[in-house]
Amino acid sequence: MNMTIQNEFASVTFKTQGAELLSWKMADGKEYLWQRDPAYWAKTSPVLFPYVGPVPDTVNIHGTEYKLPRHGFVKDAEFAVEKQEDACVTLKTVSDGATMSVYPYAFEFTVTFRLDGSALEAVYGVVNKGTDEMPFLIGGHPAFFCPMEEGAQFTDYMLRFEDEDIPDLHLNYPMFDNDAILYENLKNRTVRVIHQESKKGIRFDFPDYQSVAFWTPIQKNAPFICIEPWNAGTLAQVPNTNLLEKKYVQFLGAGEARDYKFSVRPCE
């Protein structure tokens, strides 16, 4: 089921299946989120939990092998509406027999979408409902149009960070030929995707994530870029599917809860 929240500045549309964002549109009709096209990528913003990355065969958790799917299973779960207001909604899914067979932990997972003016906030909430410490990886995968302005090209845009020692990254497609580009442990967890001349674009904040990846499909010249906040392994660790050996693996004790927020707003 598709749902929409809105205020006087913007609207956000999402699916209850996977709590996947479908649209972030300004009141003037300007759309920032990639509109799915299987020729490039049939997703818009999958939620990554309790694993991030490909799984060649199985994932090892405390010495036992589990058939966890790529990027986990929450992206395919049907969420229930927990709470809804005009400009805010919270969706929830919980563990069941199917999830426990591939990930042996009882959990509650919520996704909250909130509009603050024209800004979109997304909060992923994790609760350990079991009696054992629960390890997991978590991340977002929203895709944004790039170029964002009529007549512009992908190569007109750059990534601008607030850390003084991180240079601007001027976008081109070949830089993604080896897959995603990952930045770790930025002091200021903010990045802007902006036109090099007009400086128009978006500002993305990810205060609760220790790394951020950027991705567009290899050799497809796709008109979008994904900004992926992660608490997960590094790119060099992709072949290692031992969950507990992943850099930035998260742990929650019995009964503990934690939120992970990212937000995005237009830059004018």
Side-chain angles (χ1 to χ4, degrees), residues 10-73:
S11 65
V12 171
T13 300
F14 52 91
K15 298 192 301 179
T16 53
Q17 182 180 13
E20 183 175 6
L21 287 166
L22 300 177
S23 172
W24 172 46
K25 186 182 294 185
M26 300 301 106
D28 63 5
K30 182 175 179 60
E31 176 66 72
Y32 281 97
L33 269 177
W34 161 246
Q35 299 300 288
R36 297 174 292 174
D37 181 350
Y40 297 105
W41 191 48
K43 297 283 189 178
T44 298
S45 183
V47 180
L48 315 184
F49 175 87
Y51 195 78
V52 176
V55 181
D57 187 15
T58 57
V59 171
N60 184 291
I61 306 175
H62 287 297
T64 301
E65 301 294 330
Y66 294 94
K67 284 281 189 180
L68 258 175
R70 177 187 180 94
H71 290 326
F73 46 70

Side-chain angles (χ1 to χ4, degrees), residues 1-235:
M1 179 175 67
N2 291 358
M3 299 180 64
T4 298
I5 58 172
Q6 60 185 8
N7 60 17
E8 61 182 303
F9 303 101
S11 65
V12 171
T13 300
F14 52 91
K15 298 192 301 179
T16 53
Q17 182 180 13
E20 183 175 6
L21 287 166
L22 300 177
S23 172
W24 172 46
K25 186 182 294 185
M26 300 301 106
D28 63 5
K30 182 175 179 60
E31 176 66 72
Y32 281 97
L33 269 177
W34 161 246
Q35 299 300 288
R36 297 174 292 174
D37 181 350
Y40 297 105
W41 191 48
K43 297 283 189 178
T44 298
S45 183
V47 180
L48 315 184
F49 175 87
Y51 195 78
V52 176
V55 181
D57 187 15
T58 57
V59 171
N60 184 291
I61 306 175
H62 287 297
T64 301
E65 301 294 330
Y66 294 94
K67 284 281 189 180
L68 258 175
R70 177 187 180 94
H71 290 326
F73 46 70
V74 161
K75 66 185 187 307
D76 301 311
E78 182 63 32
F79 281 70
V81 178
E82 179 80 352
K83 181 168 48 176
Q84 184 177 8
E85 301 172 2
D86 289 345
C88 181
V89 68
T90 297
L91 308 173
K92 183 174 78 172
T93 189
V94 298
S95 55
D96 59 20
T99 69
M100 295 282 283
S101 70
V102 295
Y103 178 69
Y105 299 96
F107 66 86
E108 176 182 295
F109 191 94
T110 58
V111 175
T112 298
F113 296 126
R114 180 184 298 109
L115 280 168
D116 180 9
S118 60
L120 164 62
E121 299 177 354
V123 182
Y124 299 166
V126 186
V127 183
N128 180 355
K129 305 293 284 187
T131 57
D132 297 324
E133 183 180 64
M134 184 174 79
F136 60 92
L137 308 180
I138 189 169
H141 204 309
F144 301 94
F145 277 120
C146 189
M148 302 176 194
E149 303 291 334
E150 188 174 351
Q153 300 181 37
F154 186 87
T155 51
D156 293 332
Y157 287 78
M158 64 182 178
L159 306 181
R160 172 160 289 176
F161 301 90
E162 294 195 351
D163 287 20
E164 294 181 358
D165 59 338
I166 306 296
D168 295 341
L169 182 67
H170 296 264
L171 296 179
N172 62 70
Y173 287 116
M175 68 173 52
F176 296 97
D177 282 353
N178 293 319
D179 212 348
I181 298 170
L182 183 73
Y183 289 79
E184 301 178 67
N185 286 319
L186 296 171
K187 295 176 184 176
N188 299 287
R189 295 178 186 178
T190 296
V191 62
R192 289 174 172 83
V193 183
I194 54 176
H195 192 280
Q196 297 174 32
E197 295 182 2
S198 72
K199 303 303 186 287
K200 290 183 178 182
I202 57 174
R203 167 180 165 161
F204 191 92
D205 294 277
F206 50 103
D208 301 313
Y209 295 90
Q210 293 174 282
S211 62
V212 61
F214 302 91
W215 176 80
T216 194
I218 296 172
Q219 297 181 351
K220 287 191 175 182
N221 292 359
F224 69 86
I225 187 167
C226 289
I227 306 177
E228 305 176 39
W230 290 353
N231 286 319
T234 63
L235 297 174

